[in-house]
Amino acid sequence: MATKTKTLPSVVCGTVVRSAPAGHHTSTTVTGHELRVPLLAMSDVDTILADGPRDRLAELPTQEIVNFLYAAGQNWKSSEYVRRRLYIRELINQLGYSPEMAKLEANWIAMILSGYAGLYDIIASELGHRFILDEWIPREEAQVRAYPKGRSLHIMPGNVPFSAVVSVVRALVTKNQVIAKSSSEDPFTPVALAQSFADVDADHPVTRALSVVYWPAGAPGEAGERIVAASDVICAWGGQSAVDWARKAARPDAEVVRFGPKRSLAFVDAGERPEDAARGLAHDVCFRDQRACFSSQQAFVRPSPAQLVPALSEALDNYTEILPPSAQGFDDRGARALTLAEARFLGFSCWEAKDGSWAIIHCPPSFAAQHPLSRTVYLHDWPADLDPGAQVTGDTQTVALFPWAKLRPIRDAVCRAGVSRVVESGMSNVFRPGGAHDGMFPLQRMVRFASTELPSAYVTKVMTVKIEQTKFLEQDRFVEFIP
Amino acid sequence: MATKTKTLPSVVCGTVVRSAPAGHHTSTTVTGHELRVPLLAMSDVDTILADGPRDRLAELPTQEIVNFLYAAGQNWKSSEYVRRRLYIRELINQLGYSPEMAKLEANWIAMILSGYAGLYDIIASELGHRFILDEWIPREEAQVRAYPKGRSLHIMPGNVPFSAVVSVVRALVTKNQVIAKSSSEDPFTPVALAQSFADVDADHPVTRALSVVYWPAGAPGEAGERIVAASDVICAWGGQSAVDWARKAARPDAEVVRFGPKRSLAFVDAGERPEDAARGLAHDVCFRDQRACFSSQQAFVRPSPAQLVPALSEALDNYTEILPPSAQGFDDRGARALTLAEARFLGFSCWEAKDGSWAIIHCPPSFAAQHPLSRTVYLHDWPADLDPGAQVTGDTQTVALFPWAKLRPIRDAVCRAGVSRVVESGMSNVFRPGGAHDGMFPLQRMVRFASTELPSAYVTKVMTVKIEQTKFLEQDRFVEFIP
Amino acid sequence: MSRATSIPQPAGADQPPNEAEAQSPSVRIIDARTAIDELIFAEDPWYALPLERQRELSDALIRQALREHLERCPSYRDYYARSGAAEPGAVALADIPLVSTRVFKFADLRSVEAHEVERWYRSSGTSGQPSRVPRDRASLERMVGSVHGSVGLLADWDEDEVAVINLGPGREHVEDVWFQYVMSLIEALYRSESRVPRDEAALDEIIGLAQSLLDDYEHLIVVGPPFHVLDLCEHMQRRGVELQAGEGATILTAGGWKRFGGRAIPKQEFRAVVARQFGLRGEGQVRDVFNQVELNTVLFECEAHEKHVPPWVHVAARDPETLQPVPEGEEGMLSYLDASCSAYPCFIVTEDVGVVRRGRCACGREGTRVDVLRRLESRAAKGCALKMGQIHANG
Amino acid sequence: MSRATSIPQPAGADQPPNEAEAQSPSVRIIDARTAIDELIFAEDPWYALPLERQRELSDALIRQALREHLERCPSYRDYYARSGAAEPGAVALADIPLVSTRVFKFADLRSVEAHEVERWYRSSGTSGQPSRVPRDRASLERMVGSVHGSVGLLADWDEDEVAVINLGPGREHVEDVWFQYVMSLIEALYRSESRVPRDEAALDEIIGLAQSLLDDYEHLIVVGPPFHVLDLCEHMQRRGVELQAGEGATILTAGGWKRFGGRAIPKQEFRAVVARQFGLRGEGQVRDVFNQVELNTVLFECEAHEKHVPPWVHVAARDPETLQPVPEGEEGMLSYLDASCSAYPCFIVTEDVGVVRRGRCACGREGTRVDVLRRLESRAAKGCALKMGQIHANG
């Protein structure tokens, strides 16, 4: 394979920086290209930690931020937009995405940036009111306002470009400066995002608030340590070591928002509409090739896995056509080959796509301890006496159900046992406004709430007189006001 | 001073334990008594970490917990209740409280336990709905439910008994098991609280969910480390070292809720109603002798501090009568004497109560870096060009204002600069439902949110068709749905 | 052959030898020696054989082993049947159905009766779930024999003039009984001292010990996991100590090449540091040995830093999709067919990626060599999708 | 008296001496010697004087100093006037208005012209805000003189036969120039080596150095902050080293008695550990000295572990509310009136709690002794109310 070298810039407060005074980090992509990203330099840190980029954003009304993101999103939506075209080309050439997957990724970026109504709804449902970042909002006997925490550092995911964008957007709509530490697996998305901001307005406070930097996982160096020490929030995505590192490295008073490794699974009753059941499951398996935490890896199937296999094979084949998988590296292919060898040795039934694009293994749930991802579905028997709650733990993120109406009652058992999200099978990738992410409402972690409490003249619900504490003490009447 | 020895029990899952297999920790109280508390023993840990105490509470409806707390609170309200009488006696004899302050403390405990309506309002305003811990609540395009995180460890404050109770109540209403690590400064409150639960029903899941243990600050030993490792939430109150220790010791995925050291101050325009201004300020100075983070330590005064002094002296004298200060130890007295000597050397005007119960110092704000607490008020000039925001930092918790109507606009400047709470002067101690605490809504930190997201048949706000992702891909129509 | 009777007891063994065997030690093996035992326990080293002879032996021994395991191991027999492979006499070695090493995490695989298993060896391996691998007396004896028969790849020392310092096991191998056992075999060849470099004091002591053994013996072997050796060298650097071993020492590494924190140690850099700190005459005195719990043979590095594979083991690098052998010199997933193992069908495909070479080595010997490059690391494992078996850092 | 000319330069001094003085070193002091200088620089030690004579000297010297500071220091003169104290000849020593040491955080206090200040000394002290204390040449010379005149409380060594190891300063004192200066004075008396025990290697080296100095010199003094000495002893314990110093060593501590993490070290336990690890003949060879940046005199411990106060310093323990002296033997806040300081009115009340005793000491000498017990620690500071000056751990 011919090796080409691609050198990416960093982005310092909205400005593309092609020099690399601290040198480059070099890695090899799945398509065999050499990829160079600049290492964070001290001079970058000086610029990033100046007050301006943080404070200018903090003073912007929320709607100006949302409008700006919308403008960027409208560009991303257009198939003529050069930044989108370059981005799609890089996902294909460098990261081995199929053209369909790369395009879908760009569309999802357009979707979140353009989704102004959804952003307002997320602000309102997570923080309590659409204008809470701009005004004092009455809440019971107080008025509440949300201020940005200040500086947010994002340890970026390498597996799901969309998540990288979500992380940045959450921080920006809460008016936090963003320092995106990109992953060597996908350094493209945050840079493309920053460049698309500059395309709208190079000096806009939102553009200036975004920096994209790099250091090798767990090794921030002196420059990175300054960034970490100056960060009021750290959003850490990725493997266990990445999220644990963030917690350890953070300032003791910094908020650390962890999106650590999770797995997801499905419960499927395919008795009545096997084609629909298969379509939903196939979608949740094929979308992002199971690299996302919400991707279904396993499915408990009624009436029997074997009966679902023909429809599922067809649905998976359909996805190979409408959303071809990305290039699989040596290691990913090897992991699946080993898994199939194991399954066959253990006597489990296996089905494979002719072109190797997917695999189905009918196995007991205990076998799920080895999962190679890459569109591999484990189907498990679902006997009548199985306790769904016993099949999940706090490590399980999304449980997908089919058919929805029939299986919705399962949610109580699985959520009590630790699951944070229950969806209809085929909808795993759609994070609806109002829903929680990994057990929390992340926007609540990005802000500092301040409150004004009503003065003494306002009586409480349980008292019919003004709160005159001195008089109560003088007259020894406090106890009267205890409900 | 004659020394008496008082030995406290620990409480293991609601049961009072008087044996101390791991020995006792001994300290001397401000009144010169020897105080012994049992050190946490391995056998206690085994009992505490069994599943029962945690899981029984998690399955209780919220209203049963609130009702139980109310029943305990009704006891606390009664001056005949023996536990209340013993508690008040210990605050007086051991911790040197004046009888009036001790009684007020007991009343506030009764207030929070009995405040069922307030508890529901706090749940509703912090988590989104009164029943969210019991049922699935629609929120935008999802349904949300809050589950307890599981086990909560509380590093208890030593300065404010009420805060200890607040910490426990917050954890219990969110259905979390509570392990209260008491402070050697006040080991009485958590034990008295636990005993008052047992008085209501010794086998109630709420009673069983509460344990009160002790280890020396920062030195949990092997037994304490097991508790720390098993804690899903740690609420840490107290000095900087206590809250930083909690963060460091906690499991990487545990939530650490920090109530670290903060200071509070007032802005007072005494031009029109100097007596009212003085009364409010005196209350915020005298309530808990400035030991609380919300206590006013300083006041910026208009038209001039000197003009306020007569009324303030009178108001402080009044508080010496209606709420006499607690006994001051050698060190507290020494700290004030040094401060006064410094102020006098620097030429600042000082006023002292004849009985030493309070002191007023007219000084520049820079002198606030030394504050001895103990009802000492620093009055500062408030020139027209003073920027209120420059007088506060993220370490400033509560800003009290007088008169409310006139000064409320100040809140924007101080909250932008880091203040988390603005109140009317004289109301610093009243935490109203709806208000934030140290920048967050603590109940949000005690729970794990799970969500059920609406199935594909429910259209979003920005689409008028069902979400059929497979069809969209087949027909390449995704981009149509981007707003 | 008398060496065969001197099997060291497995370190920390918790199962006593079977009583019958305690009465007549090793009787079965000594009496029932087969072609493979003649090769393993031969006075003349296998690596002196010409390439063609090694090939012939390999083919014959592995086919014989295949026949025996098909006979004795029902689960492998079933697997073989399901795979549609040709019968043992006709199957190409490349087509012998392979057992993934991860199967040892799920299933008990054995070709001997339960009472014939001397011990189940555990390895923490690459993921949380440990592997369990059985060994019978014959497999263990052959393991010992292979160490004796291959150690000559290192050098030809007089037993009495060599001292060994065994660094380890560290905490990462404390429960890894197999690793300890293999280390003990190397240690058992010579006078040896075991020291765990767990703190500064221990490191100081090891330096002192090394100095005095260099003075007292003609040759010193320091054997241990790479990161322990590196810890020792870094400690020497801090202390300003540089030994003057010259030709008098060999540093032998065994075990994982990743440090805590997950970064791999570049081997060449490692050899340079070690050679400098010990004052070696050349980096050829820094050698590595390879083994894994599922493999019954220890592979030794020659002076050209190539790991030579004895004829009773067939090694291949395989395509990650088809598991068919890749051309010589290309990277593939490493598989081993090890005829020395009687306890279970040691026809394994591993999570290691490496290269296989055949022909004449730079050291002058003819034969097959394997270069173990890295662990398979699925790209997916780096993302937020939990790949459960890979929560723990790779070794 | 020639000793007075040998003032060591303040460690890390960043101001050159005034040019005029560089030309004629120390001239002003030598010529203008007063009663106090005669006492400080006397050949016969002050601690040999009878109690009554010490009292007389004390009264006279302090009144004289008071008169001078009232004349030269306007801010103290104003304070004195505001306080309503009687005139200098009539005021009781107990009623001389005291300056809180914390004032040095807020105000520049001096009784000399700005150009006469040799240096402003900083101390990180007990809180974040540093104190700044001026010293003129006379004050510094007297400081040196007081060390020379008091070191005899430790023992009577021949200068040439003593070696010193100075442990420190550690990182907690790196910016504490005063502490370094005081340490350098002690060090300057004898042949000395400075070593910071910053890591294991440094500790090993110190052990080796101590051993060789014990061999080469009649007496070894190890001087350093208590926790550094303890670190050294704990390291010796881990290494299994016990020295055999016998009568040949004195361990001298100076500085805070709290370790990182805030716990106080019990002094008796400390002395026992040190005596055992160094193999001392008795715990009497473990001594402490006391000084703080605002005080111009170093207080040395006698063999009975009592800190003797020279007659030019008046020490009192005071009631925490009235600041009036408490009866002898009762705890109070410690105050000092130090006549040796010409740079600023050294009439100070501190944040230390202690006990003052007068009369005959168990060591046989007459005089005043002070026992510094602990820092004032306001109960309030432990709560969630931020007491700003106390964010940082107490020293």
Side-chain angles (χ1 to χ4, degrees), chain B residues 208-363:
Chain B
R208 292 292 184 200
L210 177 57
S211 300
V212 182
V213 305
Y214 183 79
W215 61 73
E222 208 181 324
E225 276 167 8
R226 281 179 64 201
I227 295 286
V228 172
S231 296
D232 306 296
V233 198
I234 303 185
C235 299
W237 299 74
Q240 199 66 48
S241 59
V243 296
D244 285 352
W245 174 83
R247 169 69 170 255
K248 222 175 129 181
R251 223 171 51 207
D253 64 324
E255 180 86 40
V256 179
V257 191
R258 298 159 56 97
F259 302 103
K262 301 270 181 182
R263 68 179 173 128
S264 295
L265 48 79
F267 286 89
V268 175
D269 185 336
E272 286 159 30
R273 295 186 282 130
E275 282 72 23
D276 292 345
R279 188 188 313 114
L281 180 54
H283 176 270
D284 288 348
V285 164
C286 296
F287 194 89
R288 293 208 181 87
D289 295 343
Q290 280 177 327
R291 285 200 300 270
C293 33
F294 53 74
S295 304
S296 293
Q297 298 184 9
Q298 311 161 247
F300 291 86
V301 180
R302 274 182 188 158
S304 89
Q307 278 176 262
L308 182 62
V309 168
L312 183 56
S313 304
E314 203 173 311
L316 290 166
D317 276 339
N318 183 40
Y319 262 89
T320 304
E321 193 173 315
I322 62 175
L323 192 65
S326 56
Q328 296 295 301
F330 183 106
D331 294 46
D332 285 319
R333 286 182 292 143
R336 187 150 90 191
L338 283 184
T339 303
L340 285 166
E342 287 148 26
R344 291 197 171 106
F345 177 85
L346 295 167
F348 305 150
S349 302
C350 303
W351 296 264
E352 270 187 281
K354 288 191 193 69
D355 59 359
S357 62
W358 52 262
I360 301 171
I361 301 176
H362 177 197
C363 57

Side-chain angles (χ1 to χ4, degrees), chain C residues 119-391:
Chain C
R119 175 159 194 163
W120 288 89
Y121 288 88
R122 293 163 61 94
S123 164
S124 53
T126 59
S127 77
Q129 216 165 342
S131 293
R132 294 178 74 247
V133 180
R135 292 260 152 58
D136 62 343
R137 167 80 31 149
S139 302
L140 287 172
E141 293 211 16
R142 287 169 181 163
M143 172 79 171
V144 177
S146 81
V147 168
H148 282 256
S150 302
V151 75
L153 279 165
L154 297 181
D156 195 13
W157 299 302
D158 183 330
E159 274 182 37
D160 297 333
E161 292 175 346
V162 174
V164 176
I165 301 177
N166 180 354
L167 305 177
R171 55 199 157 110
E172 71 293 344
H173 282 299
V174 149
E175 292 180 18
D176 191 338
V177 172
W178 180 247
F179 182 83
Q180 292 187 41
Y181 180 68
V182 173
M183 295 293 276
S184 74
L185 289 184
I186 295 164
E187 198 183 20
L189 298 172
Y190 311 104
R191 176 208 188 284
S192 65
E193 305 264 355
S194 213
R195 292 287 186 282
V196 183
R198 64 170 66 81
D199 57 21
E200 303 261 308
L203 286 163
D204 281 338
E205 202 208 326
I206 292 164
I207 296 171
L209 180 64
Q211 185 57 66
S212 79
L213 292 176
L214 279 172
D215 294 344
D216 297 348
Y217 286 82
E218 198 139 294
H219 205 85
L220 169 66
I221 301 177
V222 177
V223 58
F227 44 89
H228 276 180
V229 173
L230 201 59
D231 280 352
L232 182 64
C233 290
E234 287 171 353
H235 188 73
M236 286 161 79
Q237 228 159 356
R238 280 195 301 274
R239 285 278 188 273
V241 175
E242 280 191 17
L243 298 177
Q244 303 294 335
E247 294 186 5
T250 299
I251 316 305
L252 197 59
T253 52
W257 281 84
K258 280 198 175 178
R259 301 191 82 163
F260 283 101
R263 285 168 190 273
I265 310 164
K267 294 192 188 184
Q268 298 207 327
E269 192 182 304
F270 173 85
R271 289 197 286 256
V273 169
V274 173
R276 183 178 68 239
Q277 224 55 47
F278 277 87
L280 303 180
R281 201 198 37 151
E283 292 176 18
Q285 289 162 246
V286 186
R287 303 284 187 89
D288 190 43
V289 300
F290 179 79
N291 180 261
Q292 63 186 90
V293 66
E294 301 88 353
L295 182 63
N296 204 51
T297 299
V298 179
L299 308 179
F300 284 75
E301 213 172 75
C302 70
E303 53 270 40
H305 301 294
E306 297 253 6
K307 291 189 180 71
H308 289 249
V309 182
W312 59 87
V313 177
H314 177 269
V315 62
R318 291 170 186 262
D319 180 274
E321 200 148 340
T322 63
L323 295 186
Q324 279 299 302
V326 297
E328 193 186 320
E330 280 189 18
E331 282 187 25
M333 291 167 62
L334 293 176
S335 71
Y336 304 93
L337 310 169
D338 186 342
S340 77
C341 182
S342 49
Y344 59 91
C346 188
F347 308 135
I348 56 175
V349 56
T350 74
E351 293 176 273
D352 286 323
V353 178
V355 170
V356 173
R357 292 187 181 83
R358 302 183 203 276
R360 187 170 299 278
C361 175
C363 73
R365 300 179 189 92
E366 279 195 330
T368 306
R369 287 101 58 204
V370 62
D371 191 1
V372 184
L373 296 171
R374 62 184 175 85
R375 281 270 173 195
L376 207 59
E377 190 174 13
S378 163
R379 180 169 58 145
K382 295 178 193 167
C384 67
L386 182 64
K387 193 160 166 253
M388 291 194 72
Q390 301 229 345
I391 303 176

Side-chain angles (χ1 to χ4, degrees), chain D residues 270-296:
Chain D
F270 173 85
R271 290 196 286 256
V273 169
V274 173
R276 184 179 65 239
Q277 224 55 46
F278 277 86
L280 303 180
R281 202 198 38 153
E283 292 177 17
Q285 290 162 248
V286 187
R287 304 284 186 90
D288 191 42
V289 300
F290 178 80
N291 180 262
Q292 63 187 91
V293 65
E294 303 87 355
L295 183 63
N296 204 51

Side-chain angles (χ1 to χ4, degrees), chain D residues 308-342:
Chain D
H308 289 249
V309 182
W312 60 84
V313 177
H314 177 270
V315 62
R318 291 169 186 264
D319 179 274
E321 200 147 341
T322 63
L323 295 187
Q324 280 299 303
V326 297
E328 193 185 320
E330 278 189 18
E331 282 187 25
M333 292 167 63
L334 293 177
S335 71
Y336 304 92
L337 311 169
D338 186 342
S340 77
C341 183
S342 49

Side-chain angles (χ1 to χ4, degrees), chain A residues 60-70 116 120 123 130-131 133-134 173 175 204:
Chain A
L60 231 49
T62 306
Q63 65 184 36
E64 269 200 47
I65 299 169
V66 172
N67 290 351
F68 180 89
L69 297 177
Y70 176 76
Y116 54 94
Y120 286 131
I123 292 170
R130 175 174 151 200
F131 294 122
L133 284 147
D134 306 303
V173 296
K175 309 185 185 180
H204 193 276

Side-chain angles (χ1 to χ4, degrees), chain B residues 12 83 93 121 169 187 296 338 355 370 423 427 447 451 459 480:
Chain B
V12 176
R83 193 76 61 200
N93 292 347
D121 287 345
V169 166
S296 293
L338 283 184
D355 59 359
Q370 300 291 346
V423 301
M427 291 284 285
V447 301
S451 50
V459 303
E480 289 176 30

